[in-house]
Amino acid sequence: YALKEVVESFAVREYQLLRDLERLGVPAVEAVGIVRGRQEPGGDPLESVLVTRHLQFSLPYRALFSRMMRRDTVERLIDALVALLVRLHLLGFFWGDCSLSNTLFRRDAGAFAAYLVDAETGELRERLSDGQREHDLDIARVNIAGELMDLEAGGLLQEDRDPVAVSERMLLRYR
């Protein structure tokens, strides 16, 4: 199981969104429950906890980059994330915080499959407007560039990979 300490109203909202996405067949973590009414030993209240099922054989992007990787791994991760984002948008889901950090990856026959982890900022609608899709893409572009810059600063990104260029290619792949 994975546990996320969060304000109760956010936990309830995210739980419901994850359950809705599960019903729609979206690759996402499975919401199991919410723990409410927690207290410190002295009686002070603690935030609620959203409980999700651990996604077997999945890895966060940082774990993938901490190992020796093939040259095209960044591109394959972005491809998987783009496929997930397209699928979400076609279903009317605005993610609001699309990033490598909010995604888990599983190896899938030479590629990767991406799974949504964090739906806290998401919204499920009948359909998305062009503006909503573009806003989600802009958030993804900025987040991905920042995450890759962080990897670059830690010496985990190949020197020939430009984080901004990779995030811009994500937009091209989406379109």
Side-chain angles (χ1 to χ4, degrees), residues 7-158:
V7 174
E8 184 174 340
S9 61
F10 291 174
V12 170
R13 188 174 179 285
E14 186 168 4
Y15 174 88
Q16 189 58 54
L17 277 171
L18 288 170
R19 298 297 293 195
D20 290 344
L21 292 174
E22 181 182 357
R23 280 189 282 282
L24 293 170
V26 172
V29 293
E30 178 189 349
V32 174
I34 300 170
V35 179
R36 302 174 184 172
R38 299 182 326 127
Q39 295 180 347
E40 291 184 15
D44 291 332
L46 292 169
E47 297 294 353
S48 294
V49 174
L50 173 65
V51 181
T52 57
R53 189 170 312 282
H54 172 72
L55 187 61
Q56 268 192 312
F57 310 113
S58 67
L59 294 167
Y61 84 102
R62 286 192 167 281
L64 292 165
F65 280 95
S66 67
R67 303 177 181 158
M68 187 63 170
M69 295 177 54
R70 293 181 11 197
R71 295 186 64 76
D72 67 339
T73 300
V74 173
E75 306 300 325
R76 292 184 299 137
L77 290 175
I78 297 298
D79 286 345
L81 183 57
V82 166
L84 175 62
L85 191 55
V86 166
R87 190 169 178 181
L88 291 168
H89 284 177
L90 288 173
L91 291 170
F93 186 78
F94 174 82
W95 196 338
D97 196 16
C98 176
S99 66
L100 294 169
S101 297
N102 289 336
T103 311
L104 287 174
F105 297 92
R106 280 183 173 163
R107 293 187 188 281
D108 183 22
F112 286 97
Y115 294 79
L116 182 141
V117 175
D118 189 337
E120 186 174 316
T121 56
E123 295 177 24
L124 189 56
R125 299 167 176 261
E126 192 170 312
R127 68 183 290 271
L128 294 181
S129 69
D130 291 343
Q132 289 166 324
R133 277 192 302 281
E134 288 302 316
H135 183 58
D136 223 12
L137 287 170
D138 193 46
I139 291 167
R141 181 185 57 79
V142 170
N143 285 346
I144 290 167
E147 289 165 327
L148 294 177
M149 286 177 190
D150 187 45
L151 290 174
E152 183 178 53
L156 297 173
L157 188 65
Q158 296 163 351

